[in-house]
Amino acid sequence: CVTSDVQAACRDTTVTQELLEEGFHRDLLVKVELGEDAGGCAVAARMRLPPGIYVDPYELATLQQHNLTKALLVPDVIDVEAPEYLARDLLLLLFLEPDWRCSRCFRAAVPVHARYHRPAQGTEEAVVVLESPEVLLCCCHSHLSAECWEPAEVDTPCSPDSTGPCQWHSTKHRPAYEGSMLRVPVGLREHSSLVCALTLLTTGLCSGLILAAACKYGHFS
């Protein structure tokens, strides 16, 4: 961090998050517009991801090696195969980059993936709601307005590349939307019996074909 004379107008801080693309594999785009110019400060968005959505830590590590995104994930060991009802919340700290189109604007994107949900009754989709993230600011040697910014309990450096201590501050902000929603296709519970019967029939048929081929073409001593 470097010296900055940022005076945060917290009433004017706006956060927008968008889920791009379609299907189970999406990109989460976070955009923050501060009240005034925050040149020299580190800006981050801290968000809690519900069990229905996750960030792949291996994919995240690859992206960070190529400087395509900067983020910290807690916990950093995740079962990417677990369904929604066996998963738990994740904490994501996403470091934002300055947006060249606006001196007070910052943005970053990270890939997210939807988990499989239980079959539902009477509906073909489940809804995963992403709450608006918390805006964090780190400005070493600057004087932030106590009315707008308060110390945040975040034990992480100002960037993934540094190891020194950093005092983050948080602010109340105005979300452009109350939250983003991800709609995930799910099976219908009333089709469970049909699905089980077809699965059993298909399994038995394939097993019979494999056994017949083994008996016809196999060499047994």
Side-chain angles (χ1 to χ4, degrees):
C1 297
V2 297
T3 303
S4 175
D5 295 325
V6 175
Q7 296 296 323
C10 52
R11 290 190 302 271
D12 297 329
T13 298
T14 305
V15 178
T16 304
Q17 60 179 1
E18 302 176 45
L19 285 167
L20 309 178
E21 309 300 333
E22 298 292 337
F24 278 78
H25 309 288
R26 313 288 286 271
D27 286 328
L28 175 60
L29 173 63
V30 179
K31 295 184 287 187
V32 172
E33 183 176 355
L34 299 175
E36 295 185 12
D37 188 0
C41 296
V43 182
R46 181 168 63 172
M47 62 195 75
R48 188 168 296 278
L49 303 181
I53 194 171
Y54 70 95
V55 174
D56 187 333
Y58 305 104
E59 182 181 24
L60 181 61
T62 300
L63 292 174
Q64 296 197 120
Q65 287 177 358
H66 294 85
N67 293 321
L68 297 177
T69 191
K70 296 180 180 180
L72 293 176
L73 194 59
V74 180
D76 55 1
V77 178
I78 300 172
D79 184 357
V80 299
E81 301 293 338
E84 178 270 341
Y85 49 87
L86 294 180
R88 56 176 177 168
D89 291 356
L90 303 174
L91 186 63
L92 176 67
L93 183 66
L94 182 62
F95 295 92
L96 308 183
E97 297 291 338
D99 190 338
W100 60 269
R101 292 166 292 187
C102 169
S103 62
R104 298 179 287 112
C105 300
F106 297 80
R107 60 187 290 155
V110 63
V112 295
H113 308 274
R115 293 187 183 275
Y116 290 104
H117 288 61
R118 291 183 187 274
Q121 185 75 32
T123 180
E124 295 183 352
E125 62 182 19
V127 176
V128 179
V129 177
L130 293 177
E131 298 180 355
S132 183
E134 178 185 8
V135 179
L136 299 175
L137 192 66
C138 175
C139 300
C140 295
H141 311 298
S142 66
H143 301 284
L144 299 175
S145 172
E147 296 180 356
C148 296
W149 299 90
E150 59 182 17
E153 295 182 1
V154 181
D155 185 19
T156 186
C158 284
S159 74
D161 302 323
S162 61
T163 58
C166 176
Q167 177 58 68
W168 290 93
H169 289 77
S170 63
T171 181
K172 294 180 180 179
H173 64 273
R174 175 170 52 87
Y177 312 101
E178 289 301 320
S180 299
M181 292 191 302
L182 173 64
R183 300 185 181 276
V184 183
V186 298
L188 291 173
R189 192 175 300 168
E190 48 265 37
H191 292 168
S192 298
S193 299
L194 177 61
V195 172
C196 290
L198 290 176
T199 302
L200 183 61
L201 179 61
T202 302
T203 302
L205 178 61
C206 293
S207 300
L209 291 174
I210 293 173
L211 181 60
C215 292
K216 183 176 181 180
Y217 301 104
H219 300 282
F220 303 97
S221 56

